[in-house]
Amino acid sequence: MPNPWTGVGNPYTRAEVIERFNNTLSKGESIIVAGAGTGISAKFIEKGGADMIIIYASGRFRMAGAGSIAGMMAYGDANAIAMDIGEHEVLPVVEEIPVICGVHASDPRRRMWHWLQQVKGMGFSGINNFPTHTIVDGQFGQSIEETGMGVQKEIDTVALANKMDIFSITYVATPEEAKKMAKAGADAVIAHVGCTVGGSIGVSDASIGLEQAAQATQAICEAVHSVNKNTFVLSHGGPIVGPAEAAYVNEHTDTVGFVGASSIERLAVEQSITDLTREFKSIPVKRIK
């Protein structure tokens, strides 16, 4: 049944998003989810056939020329940034695919049940846990946890979204987090294996190789599916930077697709603009003084 709101902000129900993912898989295709920090990125990500767009606070910094990790820092209100990108840039230009809002679940200034209502009311079709503390370790990560602003807040928000019948696609970094997210009702889990390698503002070297990334991803797949075999698991980050790497992970794990932000939005822009500018620079001129 056609969604009556399609083309007007594209809000889909949770059941409709899950149905769309299953339809993609039934055609023998991978589920491809892409981060968009600008309207122009979102427009052409959709044109390229992506199944879903996620709005991250990091997208604004990434497309402003800073590393995506800036979205994890105190450079702005992550929830407000994601909402602003969605409201004023992405939702007005995306024609048909679901758009998901990155939610900073541990923000102590917001009542999450109220914020999720606003996210849904804006026309987003679900939530993602970004900025995510799942990728913060060491002493700082421990301090975040001890002060009540850690990963459990993200898990609680996913459980709340589940109660509110809002689709959720969530980052995890460990099998333990994966199990907790699945038990909370996450509809899709993203196995995050590190910051994306490459380009002008990506990390210079992955902490693990592609084979290790696949092994870590499979451990997360098994953890998720021990709780719910119907939960979608997708890969992301680290050395999984292009279609070949994503295909390798699909082949060697139980993932059903890939989530790319820097690898789809930023790396494509960096190279294509550089190459096109060089082409223009090389055109001949008839009149030379």
Side-chain angles (χ1 to χ4, degrees):
M1 181 177 179
N3 188 317
W5 295 102
T6 295
V8 192
N10 316 313
Y12 288 94
T13 67
R14 180 185 189 183
E16 286 171 332
V17 177
I18 292 171
E19 181 183 13
R20 289 172 66 92
F21 274 13
N22 282 321
N23 286 342
T24 292
L25 295 177
S26 71
K27 293 183 287 187
E29 298 175 358
S30 288
I31 296 169
I32 301 300
V33 178
T38 66
I40 193 74
S41 297
K43 180 180 288 189
F44 289 97
I45 284 168
E46 180 176 32
K47 189 173 182 180
D51 296 283
M52 174 179 283
I53 289 171
I54 302 180
I55 308 300
Y56 306 101
S58 61
R60 172 152 293 169
F61 296 101
R62 177 169 58 245
M63 300 312 288
S68 296
I69 200 69
M72 296 286 294
M73 306 298 286
Y75 301 147
D77 182 338
N79 283 311
I81 291 170
M83 180 68 80
D84 182 62
I85 295 171
E87 180 180 4
H88 297 115
E89 296 189 51
V90 173
L91 288 170
V93 302
V94 169
E95 295 182 358
E96 198 271 336
I97 63 175
V99 179
I100 302 299
C101 186
V103 171
H104 194 187
S106 65
D107 186 342
R109 302 164 300 175
R110 282 186 167 82
R111 295 163 294 166
M112 274 298 117
W113 65 269
H114 184 250
W115 184 244
L116 295 189
Q117 287 178 326
Q118 293 182 62
V119 165
K120 189 173 183 178
M122 183 52 64
F124 288 101
S125 297
I127 65 161
N128 167 257
N129 58 326
F130 192 89
T132 176
H133 297 155
T134 61
I135 58 173
V136 180
D137 56 12
Q139 184 176 350
F140 184 54
Q142 182 179 343
S143 296
I144 290 173
E145 295 297 330
E146 290 177 354
T147 52
M149 292 181 282
V151 176
Q152 188 59 47
K153 290 285 188 181
E154 300 172 35
I155 295 167
D156 291 344
T157 297
V158 169
L160 181 59
N162 184 39
K163 184 177 180 180
M164 297 171 69
D165 202 28
I166 297 172
F167 179 87
S168 61
I169 177 168
T170 68
Y171 283 116
V172 301
T174 68
E176 181 183 2
E177 292 168 353
K179 278 189 177 182
K180 290 179 179 179
M181 283 295 191
K183 288 178 181 178
D187 299 295
V189 169
I190 309 166
H192 198 307
V193 294
C195 293
T196 302
V197 174
S200 65
I201 51 178
V203 297
S204 59
D205 187 27
S207 59
I208 58 175
L210 188 58
E211 184 178 350
Q212 290 173 298
Q215 292 170 354
T217 299
Q218 180 59 19
I220 287 172
C221 288
E222 292 172 3
V224 169
H225 293 152
S226 71
V227 176
N228 187 345
K229 293 185 181 300
N230 295 321
T231 304
F232 306 97
V233 183
L234 300 96
S235 64
H236 172 80
I240 315 169
V241 296
E245 293 81 9
Y248 176 91
V249 174
N250 267 9
E251 183 181 352
H252 291 84
T253 72
D254 295 326
T255 55
V256 293
F258 171 73
V259 177
S262 293
S263 54
I264 291 179
E265 181 180 44
R266 173 175 62 81
L267 294 179
V269 168
E270 287 184 5
Q271 195 57 50
S272 59
I273 291 178
T274 300
D275 291 346
L276 184 58
T277 303
R278 284 174 178 158
E279 285 187 46
F280 275 112
K281 188 60 180 172
S282 67
I283 63 175
V285 58
K286 182 177 180 181
R287 182 178 177 183
I288 302 176
K289 290 185 179 180

